[in-house]
Amino acid sequence: MNLKNYLFLLVLLLAAGARAQVPSGNAYPKREFRAAWIQAVNGQFRGVPTEKLKQTLVGQLNSLQGAGINAIIFQVRPEADALYASQYEPWSRFLTGTQGQIPSPMWDPMQFMIEECHKRNMEFHAWINPYRVKTSLKNQLAPTHIYHEHPEWFVTYGDQIYFDPALPESREHICKIVSDIVSRYDVDAIHMDDYFYPYPIKGVDFPDNASFARYGGGFNNKADWRRGNVNILIKKLHETIRGIKPWVKFGISPFGIYRNQKTDPLGSNTNGLQNYDDLYADVLLWAREGWIDYNIPQIYWEIGHKAADYATLVDWWAKHSENRPLFIGQAVMNTVQHADPKNPSINQLPRKMALQRSYQTIGGSCQWYAAAVVENAGKYRDALVQEYHKYPALIPVFDFMDDKAPDKVRKMKKVWTEDGYILFWTAPKADTEMDKAVQYVVYRFGSKEKVNLDDPSRIVAITRNPFYKLPYETGKTKYRYVVTALDRIHNESKSVSKKVKL
């Protein structure tokens, strides 16, 4: 064993010890949200030739699939623009280099990514920024941008331009954009991150006095009114999505602190910017009212951070999930760059994963950012492959959206072909789109082994195909293959089994 392999094995052994030092959940959960964000605003796509960019994206997806990632959150609307074929907003400068410039040769990155994600049995979450129009005043807007048609809808704050969140017209436009995406694309979710009212500039108030004078009746202060404006948008977006495709989720990834204790006794023991007070995002209300379907707070700090301790925040959010699925936003680079405070010879990944899995209300995580996983920063990807994502995981069931499982598969049989044995089955019958089987789970057990569908180590495939190629060995060993069906919300059907000698 060379030194590199020895050191990595040592890290894994130490990781196991770290896990035992906090309340331990299931080391290998069968259901876990395992996502990664792929962003456009860092310029990684800008001006890259189409075929090269497609190859890069496919390479990233292959690497992420190999690391056990089962959902991709892909940025498609950074500045009221589009990384997809939109009839309402111009092509993004983050794709072509110039806003409004059509890709050449023509292609649709969102459609491409949906197809590639679904081929790999990953969910696709379309990530949009609701209000932002310019990340810098120096940027040029395309002649077709909505800003030129309705400049009265927008405000300038610092070096950026935003939709005025107070205006009904702003909300109507944003809902129209989401309606268009959900109607035309087979997305699994619409996703927004932490940008609502902009991050405050010290000493500079957001310029909405005129809007407050016009629309602020009934509010005693501007802060409550601003939160009310965002609340209306979130509720409308949820209703818009549900009204078109009731299986499409709506998720938020807020800044990691809701409120500090010094502001609100119910807040976390932290000292940083606050969603509620600074960004006017009342995330807990949205979850409590059922206006969002999942929450991924960005807990991008390390364990031991003086102002925003990771362990403190994970504990706080776990106790304030408000009966909605909660996942943790993990910062790959921060994690690998900081040592475990109780074991300085290793980084913080083992302890962070142990914490995440120790709470029943936390159902997984999302990695910021995907490329850091792909590049295996600090052996992060290796650790996912060899330990934390060692076995496949199904997406958690969003049972408040739908809790009815599809019928079981039909007509399962093994067929000998020139490529070897293939297990075939027929999709179950379905009355509605919500009942339809869209994926299948294939398990393998020894012929005398007890069938335990809760054991993810027995999953050999999660596939959208109604068949599975069986690995032929000597033709003398008998196995039991078990197949179940999953619907769009990942409800799992009853099982059908077949014994095969391989």
Side-chain angles (χ1 to χ4, degrees), residues 211-270:
S211 296
F212 185 52
R214 183 178 179 188
Y215 293 107
F219 286 92
N220 295 324
N221 62 74
K222 194 182 275 188
D224 285 342
W225 170 72
R226 286 174 177 170
R227 277 185 289 274
N229 293 331
V230 184
N231 292 343
I232 293 169
L233 175 67
I234 297 298
K235 185 173 186 287
K236 279 182 172 290
L237 283 172
H238 193 259
E239 291 169 350
T240 297
I241 295 164
R242 277 290 194 280
I244 300 168
K245 291 178 180 174
W247 58 87
V248 173
K249 299 182 274 281
F250 178 36
I252 302 287
S253 175
F255 181 74
I257 298 171
Y258 177 69
R259 299 190 91 183
N260 300 309
Q261 258 178 20
K262 68 179 183 181
T263 307
D264 180 347
L266 297 178
S268 53
N269 185 17
T270 50

Side-chain angles (χ1 to χ4, degrees), residues 277-438:
D277 304 85
D278 299 311
L279 306 179
Y280 306 98
D282 192 351
V283 184
L284 294 194
L285 175 71
W286 306 342
R288 198 178 305 126
E289 294 294 331
W291 299 340
I292 59 175
D293 300 315
Y294 68 77
N295 181 17
I296 315 179
Q298 299 171 21
I299 309 183
Y300 290 171
W301 302 278
E302 68 273 13
I303 298 167
H305 190 284
K306 290 181 180 178
D309 173 55
Y310 175 93
T312 298
L313 282 164
V314 167
D315 180 74
W316 189 90
W317 283 103
K319 291 172 179 172
H320 296 84
S321 67
E322 303 297 337
N323 205 29
R324 274 292 178 267
L326 172 67
F327 314 126
I328 301 301
Q330 304 279 13
V332 174
M333 297 309 297
N334 175 283
T335 298
V336 300
Q337 288 168 358
H338 286 92
D340 184 326
K342 294 187 178 180
N343 188 347
S345 64
I346 63 172
N347 68 42
Q348 292 195 351
L349 177 59
R351 188 165 292 277
K352 284 186 173 183
M353 287 300 296
L355 277 166
Q356 174 193 306
R357 287 178 172 169
S358 70
Y359 294 96
Q360 286 189 336
T361 52
I362 298 175
S365 58
C366 189
Q367 309 297 334
W368 174 257
Y369 46 99
V373 177
V374 172
E375 291 159 9
N376 200 22
K379 302 295 184 185
Y380 196 98
R381 184 183 182 278
D382 287 349
L384 294 182
V385 171
Q386 298 182 33
E387 175 62 13
Y388 304 109
H389 296 174
K390 185 175 182 178
Y391 301 115
L394 308 186
I395 300 276
V397 175
F398 288 56
D399 54 7
F400 56 91
M401 296 176 69
D402 174 37
D403 61 359
K404 181 186 173 187
D407 289 340
K408 60 186 180 182
V409 304
R410 301 175 295 143
K411 301 176 183 176
M412 193 160 85
K413 58 186 177 182
K414 64 180 189 294
V415 177
W416 179 259
T417 72
E418 60 183 12
D419 293 325
Y421 269 125
I422 297 182
L423 195 62
F424 288 95
W425 57 87
T426 302
K429 293 178 180 178
D431 295 327
T432 69
E433 185 67 29
M434 295 285 276
D435 298 330
K436 191 182 293 183
V438 295

